[in-house]
Amino acid sequence: MNVTVENGVAVNGTAVSRELKKSDFYFELPQELIAQDPLEERTSSRLLVLDRRTGAVSHHVFREITSYLQPGDCLVLNDTKVIPARLLGEREGTGAHVEVLLLKRQSGDVWETLVKPGKKCRPGTRLSFGDGMLKAEVLETIEEGNRLIRFEYEGIFEEILDRLGEMPLPPYITHKLQDRNRYQTVYAKYEGSAAAPTAGLHFTEELLNQIRAKGVQTACVTLHVGLGTFRPVKEENVLEHHMHSEYYQVSEEAAEIINNTKARGGRVVCVGTTSCRTVESAADEHGRVRAGNGNTEIFIYPGYEFKVLDLLITNFHLPESTLVMLVSALAGREHVLNAYQEAIRERYRFFSFGDAMLVV
């Protein structure tokens, strides 16, 4: 199966207000609450639990997540692996510095990239990285100013990238990452992401084993996270926002585990918005998850009816972002914004290296 899930209302025919405004999802966040470094112990993050029916919140430590999971539940994990996608080099002939961020492999050695400074990198421009260990040519400029670049090298591209590339941390993180594994989940397996599925960063193998010992199954799906995750919503009317496309894959085994969980009356607990978007993209109109792969542009906002997900584990997201809108679709905008205000009052840590939220 190969599908593209379209943007907006057409996803499942749910009627929504034509007046859904970006500003409805705004909140004031003190700069000092943006986490710059991961905690030493993954499971020691704080956990805010939000009851989506009542709006009630309670405060915990992440390792206590086990008490909210029940035998027969299924934990859905996104096993994508972040590649060291940030390359620092120079323009051949001028020696001027250039930064290239790998977004998506198009075919062979051709990649869709984000280039800075973009204006100086017109088609035909030659680039060099690592004293010529890796070279590239800009082929064309495509939508949103991204560049298609063809790389040239001797050896294995992934090994060269591992030597020359840096982890593509989000723009709001200014500290240098000391251990690149901390921007990787412990279950990361398939390379392809330009950003981490950050809700999964709170788990350790030990915690996952405790969860499995409780009778909770785990199902791994793959969605390669693009930098569109961090792109701001520019249109005031949310419904006019064009969602970025991301590649996903659901194995026969994962689909079977999730579908059997639902059939038995168990709950599907998605770890992160990426796992949520994957299972919702792969589900048919009856909520049955289909194995296969494809590209999804699914945009989940208030009015959307979830077909698979029952509970969501997620981090705290940027104001007016599509991720806040997704959480609001599940728990209600007022409940979510009230919970965020409570998190701000309680000095929770926000964004990629920040604390977690469980919506029940």
Side-chain angles (χ1 to χ4, degrees), residues 214-234:
K214 194 170 179 178
V216 176
Q217 285 188 288
T218 54
C220 286
V221 298
T222 307
L223 183 136
H224 292 322
V225 188
L227 280 198
T229 297
F230 306 112
R231 279 214 176 96
V233 177
K234 295 176 181 174

Side-chain angles (χ1 to χ4, degrees), residues 39-292:
L39 296 179
E40 193 170 329
E41 170 53 47
R42 289 177 186 258
T43 63
S44 63
S45 302
R46 297 168 75 186
L47 175 69
L48 184 148
V49 178
L50 169 63
D51 186 322
R52 67 178 186 263
R53 286 164 287 274
T54 66
V57 301
S58 55
H59 304 285
H60 309 269
V61 178
F62 190 80
R63 66 180 69 93
E64 296 170 11
I65 194 89
T66 53
S67 62
Y68 286 91
L69 301 175
Q70 302 168 1
D73 286 348
C74 171
L75 198 66
V76 182
L77 310 169
N78 180 8
D79 61 8
T80 187
K81 193 170 189 178
V82 186
I83 60 174
R86 185 170 178 248
L87 287 165
L88 302 176
E90 57 187 39
R91 298 207 314 273
E92 288 186 356
T94 69
H97 291 293
V98 67
E99 178 181 331
V100 172
L101 204 56
L102 305 181
L103 298 180
K104 189 186 298 183
R105 178 179 249 143
Q106 295 288 13
S107 62
D109 293 319
V110 177
W111 285 74
E112 180 181 344
T113 67
L114 191 64
V115 179
K116 295 180 185 177
K119 289 181 181 176
K120 302 287 187 180
C121 291
R122 298 183 179 90
T125 302
R126 300 278 307 171
L127 308 174
S128 177
F129 310 90
D131 294 325
M133 184 187 299
L134 182 65
K135 295 191 174 187
E137 180 180 347
V138 179
L139 300 180
E140 62 176 295
T141 302
I142 57 176
E143 61 176 333
E144 296 179 331
N146 294 347
R147 266 60 172 181
L148 286 186
I149 287 181
R150 181 173 56 238
F151 288 98
E152 303 159 10
Y153 53 90
E154 290 184 8
I156 299 171
F157 181 75
E158 286 74 17
E159 290 181 359
I160 294 170
L161 190 63
D162 205 47
R163 288 180 64 180
L164 300 182
E166 297 180 3
M167 279 301 191
L169 294 179
Y172 47 74
I173 293 178
T174 57
H175 291 190
K176 189 170 178 64
L177 185 63
Q178 299 304 314
D179 177 5
R180 69 163 61 170
N181 284 329
R182 291 311 307 273
Y183 195 57
Q184 210 76 272
T185 63
V186 296
Y187 46 80
K189 189 173 183 181
Y190 299 107
E191 292 188 333
S193 276
T198 54
L201 296 179
H202 305 285
F203 287 90
T204 60
E205 284 293 353
E206 183 184 11
L207 181 60
L208 287 168
N209 287 336
Q210 288 174 18
I211 288 168
R212 293 184 185 110
K214 194 170 179 178
V216 176
Q217 285 188 288
T218 54
C220 286
V221 298
T222 307
L223 183 136
H224 292 322
V225 188
L227 280 198
T229 297
F230 306 112
R231 279 214 176 96
V233 177
K234 295 176 181 174
E235 296 80 7
E236 177 58 17
N237 181 354
V238 168
L239 306 188
E240 293 175 5
H241 175 68
H242 178 71
M243 203 62 177
H244 54 286
S245 174
E246 293 170 317
Y247 174 82
Y248 77 90
Q249 185 165 338
V250 178
S251 67
E252 294 278 0
E253 181 188 14
E256 185 178 352
I257 292 171
I258 295 167
N259 291 331
N260 287 345
T261 297
K262 299 293 278 190
R264 291 194 309 266
R267 302 175 305 172
V268 172
V269 184
C270 287
V271 177
T273 56
T274 61
S275 297
C276 165
R277 293 178 68 242
T278 303
V279 297
E280 293 295 319
S281 295
D284 63 21
E285 63 272 22
H286 305 296
R288 188 166 181 80
V289 174
R290 299 162 297 191

Side-chain angles (χ1 to χ4, degrees), residues 11 18 32 152 173 220 234 248 263 266 296 312 316 355:
V11 169
R18 306 307 297 183
E32 67 270 17
E152 303 159 10
I173 293 178
C220 286
K234 295 176 181 174
Y248 77 90
T296 179
L312 176 67
F316 291 92
D355 295 315

Side-chain angles (χ1 to χ4, degrees), residues 48-60 316 327-328 330-343 345 357-360:
L48 184 148
V49 178
L50 169 63
D51 186 322
R52 67 178 186 263
R53 286 164 287 274
T54 66
V57 301
S58 55
H59 304 285
H60 309 269
F316 291 92
V327 181
S328 296
L330 179 64
R333 185 182 68 88
E334 288 190 9
H335 285 170
V336 170
L337 292 183
N338 287 340
Y340 270 51
Q341 290 304 325
E342 173 77 2
R345 280 193 297 272
M357 177 192 234
L358 169 65
V359 181
V360 298

